Amino acid sequence: MLLKLEEVTKRFGGLVAVNSVSLEIDEGEKVGIVGPNGSGKTTLYNVISGVYAPDGGRIFFEGKEITNLPAHERTKLGIARTFQVPRPFGSATVRENVAIGAMFGRANAGVDEALEMADRYLEMVGIYELREKEAKLLTPLEKKLMELARALAMKPKLLLLDELLAGMNPQDINRILDLINKVKEEENIATIAMVEHLMHAITKFAERVVVMHQGSKLIEGPTMEVLNHPKVVEVYLGEKLKIG
Amino acid sequence: MRNYTPLVTLLLIYAVMIAIGQGIQGMWQPIMLVIFYIAVGQALNIFLGMTGYVNFGYVALLGVGAYGMAVALGYYTDLGLIPALTLGFILAILLAFIVSMVVGGIALRLRGAYFAIATIGVNEGIKYLILGGKIWGGSSGIVLSGILRKAYGAETMRFLSTVFADAGLIVVAILSGVITMYILNSRLGYGLIALREDEDAAKVMGINVRRYKQIAFVISCILAGLIGATAWTLKLTYVFPQDVFAINYTVEAIVIVMLGGAGTLLGPVVGGLIYALLKYYLTIAFPGMQLLILAPLLIIVILLFPEGVVGYLAKAARGTRFEKFVR
Ligand SMILES: Nc1ncnc2c1ncn2[C@@H]1O[C@H](COP(=O)(O)OP(=O)(O)OP(=O)(O)O)[C@@H](O)[C@H]1O
Ligand SMILES: [Mg+2]
């Protein structure tokens, strides 16, 4: 087992953003995480990646407890993520941004090697020609692609994608999904979790789905089974359920 | 990839400055003033420019460095000239190291503006410790001229306070530039730029931000200590707490870094040149009024070049053959 959450809770004042969630992700899995707005998906990522310490519960990575480990040490162990709202290092170039991932992620590359890796991953996500540009000058879509390249360059064991595909057109979505699948095989990224609202992307990508609702895990299981479950349909009632 | 070529530009500027200072009558003192401000900017830049954190206690590090050298020369004169000087540099480095480890260890837990506020007290704290505790001569400071003349002779003392002090400061200034260039090309530099841009994202990218900030802080502070030891103690042959813990130097250093371009190699050089020359000649032309004229001029430069003069030039040079010489 790669990642294991035991009754993890995260509160913001009186608001319970993540409520006693237990979750296991195996090595090699492709997991989709869905749920309405505000159901706690991003907070769950923040707790896993170490942005927030949980208020309760325990987190294990490769069998080792990481509940109180600082974020940078978790990253070294092989956890990488993208941000729902991209967070580029604005004044650095696109290439430098990706190189920073390669240097300080699990890849732990030296400067020269990291810059070479950056070029390779930028080529892969399709924004190589932007490499000398200041990251803050990118469009939102380009920033997302840069974040993907940066996360991949870290050579993680667990890759957490937070609404990476939101705002992309169908061709881009398919291209990125194919890319992620390809990289997963070739680069040996053990496991990918994907938070998405785009149900057709989830159905295309995920083997297993976890549904979040008001901070709690509502249900989990094989993708199609879960997405057609009456409880899930009920939660999404009133929301546009976009099965492509 | 890694690019050390901007060092060529840096050394060229120093060569020109030294040639002007040596070649033209009356230019050596203004040139040394410029180099002092460049050095002060260059050392601060390693912390302020690379991390975005403002160290309002900066001048205290020049102060403790100055005291390190003064204590060695004043109290350990009998060791002989070379050993006492060596001890002076060691003490300057050691005191700056200790102060920066303690201050950094505590204050760098705080973010941004809170760090800046926490460091305001450092300078006053050390000053009043020396004054109140009557340490190292208390308010009467350490006056070296008599001691040095008696121990080593007038000739040696003059050599120390002119040639040696100036050469020492130039070496420290250039060394600060070389270290900056090395950092910019290293993992440390990439990590610092990342945390300057977005500290939380930097953590998630695997950067130990506390450690990186601390390293930059300590390097910056030790270089500041060496500036105090050379430009103040050796050059002036006295140290008074009121002089060396004067907050205006901190403010001047910050202005130089912002003026020239934070986080660049050549920024403090250009910033120091602009600032020192304006200040020097405005003081001569409009004695007593210099600040009134200097302040608006500086504001205009900063408004014209929000990323500093070198920040602007580096962008303008992109894609031209000058690109690799500017950073
Ligand atoms: N830093 C914070 N401070 C206070 N409240 C927060 C914070 N971060 C998240 N929340 C709250 O926690 C709840 C869960 O938010 P979260 O961002 O995890 O949801 P989400 O499932 O990612 O939603 P979305 O699909 O809109 O991205 C929301 O009510 C949100 O307002
Ligand atoms: Mg979210």
Side-chain angles (χ1 to χ4, degrees):
Chain A
M1 182 151 337
L2 190 68
L3 179 77
K4 184 174 171 197
L5 306 190
E6 273 180 13
E7 300 183 358
V8 167
T9 296
K10 175 65 200 170
R11 295 189 194 89
F12 296 107
L15 178 89
V16 189
V18 171
N19 190 0
S20 192
V21 169
S22 296
L23 182 67
E24 293 178 1
I25 298 183
D26 270 327
E27 203 157 304
E29 268 198 297
K30 292 195 273 186
V31 181
I33 299 173
V34 303
N37 291 110
S39 56
K41 306 179 296 293
T42 298
T43 306
L44 195 65
Y45 272 13
N46 283 334
V47 172
I48 296 170
S49 60
V51 174
Y52 303 130
D55 296 306
R58 301 166 74 184
I59 308 168
F60 299 85
F61 188 72
E62 293 188 306
K64 180 176 174 262
E65 177 157 13
I66 60 165
T67 317
N68 297 312
L69 219 56
H72 66 90
E73 286 182 35
R74 300 187 195 197
T75 305
K76 289 278 188 291
L77 292 179
I79 300 177
R81 67 175 289 182
T82 65
F83 293 98
Q84 183 171 352
V85 180
R87 297 177 74 161
F89 301 121
S91 77
T93 65
V94 172
R95 177 205 262 141
E96 287 166 345
N97 265 271
V98 179
I100 285 168
M103 273 179 237
F104 298 102
R106 191 175 75 91
N108 204 24
V111 173
D112 295 324
E113 190 194 351
L115 289 164
E116 276 165 31
M117 284 169 71
D119 286 347
R120 193 147 46 80
Y121 284 99
L122 285 168
E123 178 99 67
M124 209 183 274
V125 302
I127 53 169
Y128 178 76
E129 70 285 355
L130 300 174
R131 68 196 181 285
E132 294 293 355
K133 224 175 172 172
E134 268 184 292
K136 64 175 168 224
L137 300 176
L138 299 185
T139 66
L141 176 65
E142 291 163 349
K143 282 182 187 161
K144 287 196 160 196
L145 292 173
M146 189 196 78
E147 285 223 341
L148 176 62
R150 189 168 68 179
L152 291 175
M154 297 166 89
K155 296 201 172 291
K157 291 179 180 165
L158 172 65
L159 176 58
L160 306 169
L161 303 171
D162 196 352
E163 301 201 21
L164 178 73
L165 305 174
M168 291 192 191
N169 65 36
Q171 293 98 296
D172 279 332
I173 291 175
N174 282 326
R175 180 171 71 85
I176 296 301
L177 283 177
D178 290 343
L179 170 73
I180 291 170
N181 278 320
K182 185 170 145 249
V183 176
K184 184 179 181 317
E185 295 310 316
E186 288 174 6
E187 308 262 326
N188 222 345
I189 295 175
T191 308
I192 296 174
M194 177 183 280
V195 163
E196 282 301 340
H197 285 295
L198 305 166
M199 290 307 163
H200 62 280
I202 291 288
T203 48
K204 185 171 176 207
F205 170 81
E207 298 151 345
R208 184 160 73 91
V209 167
V210 177
V211 183
M212 296 286 295
H213 180 52
Q214 294 177 353
S216 302
K217 189 173 77 177
L218 183 72
I219 185 174
E220 68 179 306
T223 305
M224 288 323 287
E225 207 173 291
V226 164
L227 292 184
N228 292 315
H229 195 282
K231 271 212 252 179
V232 177
V233 175
E234 190 185 324
V235 162
Y236 271 97
L237 216 63
E239 282 218 11
K240 38 196 182 331
L241 188 59
K242 298 183 212 152
I243 298 187
Chain B
M1 305 260 113
R2 286 184 203 229
N3 177 16
Y4 290 93
T5 332
L7 279 181
V8 174
T9 317
L10 183 85
L11 293 176
L12 210 64
I13 295 174
Y14 277 105
V16 170
M17 284 192 299
I18 291 169
I20 291 174
Q22 292 289 325
I24 302 174
Q25 187 73 28
M27 279 311 283
W28 186 247
Q29 284 324 311
I31 289 291
M32 281 316 295
L33 184 76
V34 169
I35 293 180
F36 169 74
Y37 278 116
I38 291 176
V40 161
Q42 202 99 60
L44 180 66
N45 185 42
I46 291 175
F47 181 67
L48 168 67
M50 305 290 292
T51 67
Y53 276 65
V54 181
N55 172 12
F56 273 120
Y58 182 57
V59 71
L61 280 305
L62 278 89
V64 298
Y67 266 102
M69 180 57 82
V71 165
L73 290 180
Y75 299 172
Y76 297 92
T77 329
D78 296 343
L79 290 177
L81 180 59
I82 306 285
L85 267 179
T86 311
L87 181 66
F89 284 114
I90 292 172
L91 282 182
I93 291 172
L94 199 66
L95 284 173
F97 176 76
I98 292 169
V99 171
S100 60
M101 284 303 282
V102 173
V103 172
I106 298 167
L108 281 173
R109 290 165 193 274
L110 303 169
R111 280 287 183 91
Y114 296 101
F115 171 84
I117 292 166
T119 54
I120 289 177
V122 172
N123 189 47
E124 297 301 297
I126 297 177
K127 180 165 106 185
Y128 286 110
L129 186 70
I130 291 173
L131 286 173
K134 302 215 178 347
I135 301 166
W136 297 329
S139 60
S140 20
I142 301 176
V143 180
L144 294 169
S145 43
I147 301 173
L148 294 180
R149 194 178 301 116
K150 211 165 88 194
Y152 312 128
E155 197 58 28
T156 309
M157 196 201 91
R158 204 165 40 245
F159 174 80
L160 266 188
S161 70
T162 53
V163 179
F164 188 77
D166 287 348
L169 178 61
I170 293 171
V171 168
V172 174
I174 294 176
L175 178 70
S176 305
V178 172
I179 290 175
T180 305
M181 188 81 268
Y182 172 77
I183 293 175
L184 283 171
N185 278 303
S186 69
R187 279 168 60 110
L188 175 61
Y190 283 88
L192 291 173
I193 289 169
L195 81 86
R196 180 184 72 198
E197 296 297 312
D198 186 337
E199 194 163 333
D200 288 318
K203 277 187 202 165
V204 173
M205 290 308 134
I207 297 164
N208 187 343
V209 294
R210 273 284 304 283
R211 185 155 154 259
Y212 273 48
K213 283 186 284 186
Q214 179 84 354
I215 293 173
F217 187 65
V218 170
I219 294 174
S220 166
C221 289
I222 287 178
L223 290 168
L226 288 172
I227 297 169
T230 51
W232 287 349
T233 307
L234 286 175
K235 177 130 185 160
L236 305 173
T237 66
Y238 58 78
V239 178
F240 293 118
Q242 293 87 340
D243 291 352
V244 299
F245 296 108
I247 193 146
N248 57 299
Y249 291 107
T250 300
V251 178
E252 289 180 307
I254 294 170
V255 168
I256 288 165
V257 170
M258 304 315 283
L259 203 60
T264 63
L265 169 71
L266 300 171
V269 178
V270 173
L273 269 165
I274 297 175
Y275 183 82
L277 291 178
L278 276 179
K279 186 178 166 179
Y280 187 81
Y281 288 107
L282 285 175
T283 309
I284 293 172
F286 310 97
M289 301 269 287
Q290 68 269 26
L291 272 183
L292 221 58
I293 303 167
L294 184 57
L297 279 179
L298 295 177
I299 290 171
I300 290 171
V301 178
I302 288 177
L303 284 177
L304 284 177
F305 306 103
E307 291 172 51
V309 176
V310 173
Y312 171 82
L313 289 177
K315 266 190 197 160
R318 264 196 204 148
T320 74
R321 67 206 146 100
F322 300 110
E323 177 172 10
K324 64 184 201 301
F325 292 97
V326 189
R327 170 104 199 232

